[in-house]
């Protein structure tokens, strides 16, 4: 009986040791999970910071012809016209962002200007006149209708441009200039235009619209179109060069 009672009063030692071992494992496991969780939170915060930094790097300022400056933070470069129309230019994230430049001098002692003298316009089938336009620092600084012989001239005013001007051109398609247009390639890649003869005859130099071209226009090239087989015939035409390296020939269906 004494031995049985003594046996009952002795607490087993093995379970206690095993219990201590389980407790240590739990603590170690919880510690590892905590470290992993904290690392995840830190990585998430870093990712958000990098995203915000990247977005800030894509901040874009668009300056309109009126002098209004609009800020954008976006993965697209866009421009906004006076009537609120938003034009998406290119995908900035993909590294394809591009905007036609305003050609201006970097030397304060000199200024750059671009000048266009149109082909002859026969107003009323009398003496020919020409339209002369000067672009300086992205705006039309001079517009004059003058007799081809210089005997008479009259100032004109181009109105309705929605962005700064990169380049001024004369464009059309056909065997004469009767249906030619004066085009303004803008810094937003669109081409605003006025009809040459109609503008000179009616003394109306308001922009009529922009060409419906699927792409961002960077330049225009005058080409001669003629049959490859050597047959008689041919005409002049204008080809618009796009920012992706493609080009498209002018067609009257582009007029808006």
């Amino acid at each position: 009986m004494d031995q049985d009672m003594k046996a009952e009063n002795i607490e087993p030692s093995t379970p206690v040791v095993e219990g201590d071992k389980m407790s240590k494992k739990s603590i170690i496991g919880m510690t590892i999970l905590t470290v992993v969780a904290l690392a995840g939170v830190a990585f998430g915060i870093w990712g958000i910071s990098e995203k915000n930094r990247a977005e800030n790097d894509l901040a874009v300022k668009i300056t309109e012809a009126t002098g209004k400056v609009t800020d954008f933070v976006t993965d697209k470069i866009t421009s906004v016209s006076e009537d609120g129309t938003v034009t998406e230019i290119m995908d900035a994230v993909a590294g394809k962002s591009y905007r036609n430049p305003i050609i201006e001098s970097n030397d304060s002692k000199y200024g750059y200007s671009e000048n266009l003298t149109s082909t002859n316009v026969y107003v009323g089938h009398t003496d020919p006149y020409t339209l002369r336009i000067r672009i300086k620092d992205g705006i039309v600084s001079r517009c004059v209708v003058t007799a081809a012989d210089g005997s008479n001239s009259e100032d004109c005013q181009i109105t309705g441009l929605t962005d700064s001007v990169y380049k001024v051109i004369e464009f059309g398609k056909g065997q004469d200039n009767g249906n030619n247009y004066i085009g303004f390639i803008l810094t937003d890649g669109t081409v605003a235009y006025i009809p040459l003869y109609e503008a000179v005859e009616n003394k109306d130099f308001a922009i009529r619209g922009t060409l419906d071209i699927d792409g961002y226009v960077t330049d225009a090239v005058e080409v001669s179109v003629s049959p490859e087989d050597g047959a008689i015939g041919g005409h002049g035409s204008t080809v618009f060069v796009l920012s992706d390296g493609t080009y498209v020939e002018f067609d009257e269906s582009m007029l808006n």
Side-chain angles (χ1 to χ4, degrees), residues 82-98:
E82 291 180 340
D83 62 1
T85 301
V86 178
T87 303
E88 182 179 293
I89 300 175
M90 295 294 282
D91 188 341
V93 172
K96 299 178 182 178
S97 59
Y98 177 79

Side-chain angles (χ1 to χ4, degrees), residues 38-147:
L38 291 174
V41 171
F43 182 79
I45 294 173
W46 175 84
I48 293 172
S49 299
E50 285 298 295
K51 179 177 182 296
N52 291 337
R53 184 187 63 77
E55 287 181 348
N56 289 334
D57 286 346
L58 292 173
V60 178
K61 286 188 176 182
I62 302 297
T63 303
E64 301 174 11
T66 59
K68 178 184 177 183
V69 178
T70 305
D71 289 329
F72 297 90
V73 179
T74 175
D75 60 352
K76 305 285 185 182
I77 295 180
T78 57
S79 67
V80 181
S81 63
E82 291 180 340
D83 62 1
T85 301
V86 178
T87 303
E88 182 179 293
I89 300 175
M90 295 294 282
D91 188 341
V93 172
K96 299 178 182 178
S97 59
Y98 177 79
R99 186 170 171 84
N100 288 328
I102 297 174
I103 306 300
E104 53 187 349
S105 174
N106 294 322
D107 189 337
S108 59
K109 296 179 181 179
Y110 302 96
Y112 291 167
S113 62
E114 177 188 349
N115 298 280
L116 171 75
T117 298
S118 74
T119 54
N120 289 340
V121 178
Y122 290 87
V123 180
H125 303 287
T126 57
D127 294 333
Y129 280 73
T130 59
L131 174 62
R132 300 183 182 184
I133 296 174
R134 175 178 295 167
I135 305 298
K136 186 176 181 181
D137 298 337
I139 64 173
V140 179
S141 64
R142 186 183 184 215
C143 178
V144 178
V145 176
T146 182

